[in-house]
Every structure is written in C-alpha cells, then in structure tokens.
C-alpha cells in the first residue's frame, strides 16, 4: 500500500513563515489603526466578543491587543467585558497641547537637518494626496494622509524616543479629531505642511519647527473648541 509522500519544508517556506507577523501583533495593529483613525468613536463601548468577531481573530490575541492599548491610554475598561475609547476632557486636551508643542517641533527641527531630496519628494507626494482628500471631502483619507505626513517626517528625525512619544499622543487624540472632521468637513481643517516643506527645502530647521507648531496648535484648538 502506497503512502503519501510528505513535502519537506523548503527554505522559501521558512522565509514566508518567518516574515508573517504573529497573530497578536496583527490584531494589535489593526485595532490600533481603528482607534487612531476614529473608526471607534470616543465613548463607544464595544464588547471583547464583538471585537473577536469583527477582527476575525481569536480571543487570546484580541485580549493581548486590548491589554497593550489600555496600557497606552487608547482604550479603557468599562466592566462587563466591555472596553471603549476614552472621551477627552478639556484638561486632557490642554495636556496634549503642551506635550505636542514640546515634542513635535523638535522632531521637525531634527528632520530638517537630516532630510534628503528623496525624503522631501515623498513628503510632498503624501501632502498632494492629503490635498486631494480635502478637495473630495474624504475625512478618512484626510486623517490617514495627515498621519502619514507627520509619521514620515518624524521617522526622518531619527529620534526614536521622541517619535514613540509623539505617536502615542496621536493615538490619544486621533478619535476626537475624527469627530471634529465629521462635524466641520475637510475644507476648514488646518494644513501647514507646505510651509513646513518649503522651510525644509531651504534647510531652515527653525522655520520648519515653527510651521509644525502652528499646525499642531490649529488642530488641537479645533478639537478643544468643538468638544
């Protein structure tokens, strides 16, 4: 009686398996983006079982993602197996304004000193996509391109501690920014990116830092005024 010959794993198979991120990391990243871009609204309670169903994941990776995001301040437990995105208070917003003003202009300053022509071209391409989203009134695309611009800019700064702090702040106010965008539309949203890019092309780190500070203040003041 013949038996089926088992296929031996190849080096290619091992590479594919090694490249695939673990389930808990994939679930964490997916849930994080849903929070960051306001797909989960502030105060909206969701059940752990509901997240399991929506994310198509097992209970263990979902619990791990919730644990990490709770530690980062992006989620809070409501009891009865429910979690929600926290609602920002005025005091929270004032703290966020202070922190963003301290961190993000410094990252822009450092990024200007390190930016290459290729990096500036990438930033300009992202900003063009952002402009297109504004003109279409596409709030979701606006939020993603706005985040992409700042994220790329801060990655260039090569300051991992400050970048991690800035990214954590985005996670806290991103859902509220989505609420503001939904109320105001995209036409009146702040965008000092072109000033930032002009300053970076001129090698003027101080001007780039000022432009980002203005960008930060306008956005946060709109959140404060709307909420």
């Amino acid at each position: 009686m013949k038996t089926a010959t088992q296929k031996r794993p190849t080096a290619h198979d091992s590479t594919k398996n090694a490249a695939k991120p673990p389930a808990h990391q994939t679930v964490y990243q997916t849930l994080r983006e849903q929070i960051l871009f306001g797909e989960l609204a502030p105060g909206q309670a969701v059940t752990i079982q509901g997240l399991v169903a929506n994310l198509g994941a097992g209970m263990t990776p979902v619990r791990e993602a919730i644990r990490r995001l709770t530690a980062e301040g992006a989620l809070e437990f409501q009891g009865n197996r429910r979690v929600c995105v926290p609602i920002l208070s005025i005091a929270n917003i004032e703290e966020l304004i202070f922190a963003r003003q301290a961190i993000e202009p410094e990252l822009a300053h450092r990024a200007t000193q390190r930016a290459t022509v290729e990096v500036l071209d990438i930033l300009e391409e992202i900003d063009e996509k952002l402009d297109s989203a504004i003109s279409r009134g596409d709030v979701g695309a606006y939020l993603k391109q706005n985040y992409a611009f700042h994220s790329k800019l801060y990655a260039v700064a090569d300051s991992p501690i400050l970048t991690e702090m800035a990214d954590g702040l985005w996670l806290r106010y991103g859902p509220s920014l989505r609420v503001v965008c939904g109320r105001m539309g995209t036409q009146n949203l702040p965008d000092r990116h072109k000033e930032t890019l002009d300053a970076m092309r001129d090698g003027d780190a101080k001007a780039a830092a000022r432009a980002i500070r203005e960008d930060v203040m306008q956005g946060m003041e709109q959140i404060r005024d709307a909420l």
Side-chain angles (χ1 to χ4, degrees):
M1 183 177 183
K2 294 182 179 180
T3 59
T5 303
Q6 291 185 335
K7 181 182 176 182
R8 292 183 178 181
T10 65
H12 178 65
D13 293 331
S14 300
T15 301
K16 286 196 301 183
N17 291 335
K20 185 178 180 180
H24 68 85
Q25 181 62 30
T26 300
V27 171
Y28 165 79
Q29 194 61 41
T30 300
L31 185 55
R32 189 182 193 279
E33 290 181 3
Q34 289 182 357
I35 296 168
L36 182 64
F37 300 125
E39 294 176 32
L40 292 179
Q44 175 188 347
V46 292
T47 64
I48 296 175
Q49 193 61 50
L51 289 174
V52 168
N54 291 336
L55 297 172
M59 182 71 76
T60 298
V62 168
R63 285 185 180 276
E64 173 63 15
I66 290 172
R67 184 194 65 77
R68 290 176 62 183
L69 289 163
T70 300
E72 293 173 21
L75 287 173
E76 61 183 19
F77 280 103
Q78 292 281 290
N80 196 27
R81 299 169 64 87
R82 290 177 179 269
V83 292
C84 77
V85 176
I87 298 174
L88 293 180
S89 66
I90 295 298
N92 296 151
I93 295 172
E94 294 295 343
E95 286 189 69
L96 287 167
I97 290 173
F98 177 85
R100 291 193 69 193
Q101 280 188 304
I103 295 171
E104 295 183 54
E106 176 63 21
L107 284 168
H109 190 285
R110 296 185 183 201
T112 301
Q113 296 173 326
R114 293 169 173 78
T116 63
V117 172
E118 291 76 16
V119 165
L120 293 172
D121 287 345
I122 291 171
L123 286 169
E124 186 170 352
E125 182 179 349
I126 294 171
D127 195 48
E128 288 173 354
K129 292 179 180 178
L130 187 147
D131 289 341
S132 176
I134 290 174
S135 65
R136 298 194 313 271
D138 189 336
V139 171
Y142 166 84
L143 292 169
K144 290 178 180 179
Q145 296 304 325
N146 188 40
Y147 175 77
F149 182 92
H150 285 262
S151 182
K152 178 63 178 178
L153 177 67
Y154 301 153
V156 175
D158 193 26
S159 303
I161 295 174
L162 292 177
T163 298
E164 183 179 356
M165 293 170 68
D167 203 48
L169 296 175
W170 273 80
L171 192 58
R172 286 179 178 263
Y173 67 81
S176 296
L177 183 59
R178 178 62 177 258
V179 173
V180 173
C181 291
R183 293 177 183 175
M184 298 178 57
T186 59
Q187 296 302 318
N188 297 316
L189 295 173
D191 179 2
R192 307 302 288 265
H193 297 170
K194 290 176 179 55
E195 292 176 41
T196 305
L197 284 170
D198 288 344
M200 293 180 73
R201 289 194 185 279
D202 291 339
D204 191 338
K206 289 184 178 180
R210 283 196 302 270
I212 287 297
R213 182 178 285 108
E214 295 273 339
D215 188 71
V216 165
M217 280 305 302
Q218 287 183 6
M220 294 307 296
E221 286 174 352
Q222 285 187 326
I223 292 176
R224 182 176 57 193
D225 293 344
L227 300 180

